[in-house]
Amino acid sequence: MAQADISRSAAQAPSAMGAFRALQIDPRLLGMIGALLIIWIGFDVLTGGLFLTPRNLFNLSVQTASVAVMATGMVFIIVMRHIDLSVGAMLGVIGMLMGWMQAQVLPDLLGFGSWAIAPITVLFGATVGALIGAGQGYVVGYLGVPAFIVTLGGLLIWRGAAWWVTSGQTVAPLDANFVVLGGGLRGTLGAEWSWMLAALACAATVALIAASRRRKIARAFPVKPLWAELTVGAILLGLIVSFTAIMNAYDVPQRAAERLYQSRGLTLPEGMILSHGIAVPVIIVLIVAVAMTVIARRTRFGRYVFAAGGNPDAADLAGVDTRKLTVKVFALMGFLTAIAAVIASARLQSAANDLGTLDELRVIAAAVIGGTALSGGIGTIYGAILGALVMQSLQSGMAMVGVDAPLQSIVVGVVLVVAVLADIVYRRRVGD
């Protein structure tokens, strides 16, 4: 009987392993998710159940947004075998310029409280960011100065420039419509719109999975078994629904809800409870993630970036203009940094010259923890966003536990080194 049980277990083991392989889930992705769950559960125990609450998870999603947006651009930078140390300082100067525009320039031109102040400010910031990034990319690509030196100089230049915009004075308050983009009380969707967005996301997920499967079959490419496709789809739908339910479980305080209704000239119905729902910064991250994934996988530009990073000499021989490509990648990084500056300054409802301090390290760490290889050619957008979430979870959890700031930096540094080491070991084993 024992021998029969052993034989049966041995026969079942390969089928279970084969079933897992049929799902075609990246092992590194599972590792990051596992690490994130360990971090969350550990801090939840240490804080007496305060970490895994709708309120804290809502705040965590908003706090992660600006770094996550920049991390998607840093993936392209590192894939191209470059680095950008200036993104934190660039965020600071762009945030100060946008604050100066909406507080001192645009109200005189358009009138105080004009609806056009916010969109013009965002457009202005995005243009400045793209120009700064393109300028740094030109020096790297066409003049041949190493990106490390160019962006290290940029770190010093733009941090100093952020002070000169308003002589070090903090700009506040910012335009009311602009502040919505930071995810405050007015910067959320509420329960109904959040569920509508979740339904749209679920429908899009199903449609994309089905379209991808049909496309592979039409081109005679190998496809997952149908059960594996359905399992992956069910997991994704479950994550979307669960996230939305958690965000909707965070109720708006009653007094804040009353003030919100009063600002609209309405009275809050007795007994009515408002939910925050999904925050606007999270929606921005979602849009950026989808756009950057499409760029990486479906456009010539994205294919050239990964080809040039994987083998620059071969890319040159194939006719890829790597110098021009470098300018475009840094311009994209500057544009995304401007979007992050919008989120960061709007969340704080002010612009200070120290905005974005040390964000360059958090962004690089997020991209590397997310699986982007420093040797170039390898990286994913979803990995970078997950890496940003891991970084912010560590910082938020340690702050809640009461860990001193210097020790927080030590822990983050150790995690970064361990993550790179684990990635190197993994790639060696896969290569073998």
Side-chain angles (χ1 to χ4, degrees):
M1 179 65 70
Q3 185 66 32
D5 290 340
I6 294 174
S7 300
R8 188 179 303 110
S9 299
Q12 290 175 349
S15 61
M17 182 61 70
F20 176 76
R21 290 176 178 174
L23 295 175
Q24 298 179 16
I25 299 177
D26 187 354
R28 288 171 299 175
L29 175 62
L30 291 179
M32 284 189 291
I33 293 176
L36 184 62
L37 291 177
I38 292 173
I39 292 171
W40 283 5
I41 294 172
F43 280 128
D44 194 57
V45 172
L46 293 175
T47 58
L50 296 178
F51 190 85
L52 292 178
T53 59
R55 177 186 179 185
N56 190 59
L57 293 177
F58 174 89
N59 292 332
L60 187 62
S61 69
V62 174
Q63 293 165 356
T64 304
S66 61
V67 171
V69 168
M70 289 189 288
T72 63
M74 190 61 72
V75 169
F76 278 28
I77 295 288
I78 297 177
V79 163
M80 283 280 292
R81 304 190 181 189
H82 296 303
I83 201 73
D84 193 340
L85 300 176
S86 67
V87 292
M90 198 191 310
L91 184 149
V93 71
I94 294 172
M96 287 295 285
L97 285 171
M98 288 192 297
W100 169 72
M101 280 287 291
Q102 62 188 291
Q104 301 184 25
V105 178
L106 294 179
D108 293 337
L109 298 176
L110 304 174
F112 182 79
S114 172
W115 66 268
I117 291 178
I120 292 177
T121 299
V122 174
L123 181 61
F124 169 75
T127 303
V128 171
L131 290 175
I132 291 176
Q136 294 186 154
Y138 179 85
V139 176
V140 174
Y142 284 91
L143 302 184
V145 182
F148 180 88
I149 298 300
V150 173
T151 58
L152 179 60
L155 184 153
L156 301 174
I157 293 169
W158 306 126
R159 183 57 65 193
W163 188 91
W164 281 107
V165 173
T166 60
S167 299
Q169 297 179 358
T170 298
V171 180
L174 302 182
D175 180 72
N177 293 325
F178 182 85
V179 170
V180 169
L181 301 174
L185 181 59
R186 294 178 58 233
T188 59
L189 295 185
E192 293 79 8
W193 284 101
S194 294
W195 281 120
M196 291 179 64
L197 178 63
L200 180 62
C202 289
T205 299
V206 172
L208 289 173
I209 292 176
S212 176
R213 185 177 181 85
R214 286 196 301 268
R215 185 168 56 252
K216 290 179 180 178
I217 293 175
R219 298 178 181 179
F221 290 164
V223 295
K224 299 177 186 177
L226 183 58
W227 68 265
E229 205 84 74
L230 293 175
T231 300
V232 172
I235 293 173
L236 293 175
L237 297 183
L239 290 174
I240 294 171
V241 172
S242 299
F243 174 75
T244 306
I246 292 172
M247 296 298 101
N248 284 338
Y250 179 28
D251 296 333
V252 177
Q254 197 67 14
R255 291 185 178 180
E258 292 174 357
R259 289 196 300 269
L260 180 63
Y261 263 64
Q262 289 173 1
S263 66
R264 300 172 180 173
L266 303 173
T267 301
L268 181 68
E270 185 176 354
M272 183 176 182
I273 299 177
L274 298 182
S275 298
H276 281 82
I278 299 174
V280 171
V282 176
I283 300 173
I284 296 175
V285 172
L286 177 62
I287 294 172
V288 169
V290 172
M292 291 294 287
T293 301
V294 171
I295 291 173
R297 296 184 177 182
R298 301 295 181 188
T299 66
R300 180 182 298 177
F301 169 68
R303 290 192 292 269
Y304 282 177
V305 167
F306 281 83
N311 193 329
D313 295 334
D316 283 331
L317 293 174
V320 177
D321 190 344
T322 55
R323 295 183 301 177
K324 186 176 182 180
L325 191 65
T326 299
V327 175
K328 291 181 178 180
V329 168
F330 275 90
L332 179 60
M333 183 73 253
F335 172 82
L336 292 173
T337 301
I339 300 301
V342 170
I343 297 173
S345 59
R347 181 170 70 87
L348 297 175
Q349 301 185 24
S350 64
N353 64 318
D354 63 345
L355 188 67
T357 300
L358 295 182
D359 271 4
E360 56 276 349
L361 303 184
R362 299 185 183 97
V363 171
I364 294 171
V368 173
I369 290 174
T372 304
L374 292 173
S375 57
I378 300 174
T380 59
I381 301 302
Y382 65 80
I385 293 176
L386 192 55
L389 185 57
V390 169
M391 291 288 296
Q392 188 59 51
S393 297
L394 278 172
Q395 291 185 318
S396 297
M398 287 188 290
M400 292 179 67
V401 173
V403 177
D404 293 336
L407 184 55
Q408 292 183 30
S409 299
I410 292 173
V411 172
V412 171
V414 171
V415 169
L416 175 59
V417 174
V418 171
V420 174
L421 177 61
D423 187 66
I424 291 174
V425 172
Y426 171 79
R427 296 187 195 283
R428 285 176 179 174
R429 290 183 177 180
V430 172
D432 294 339

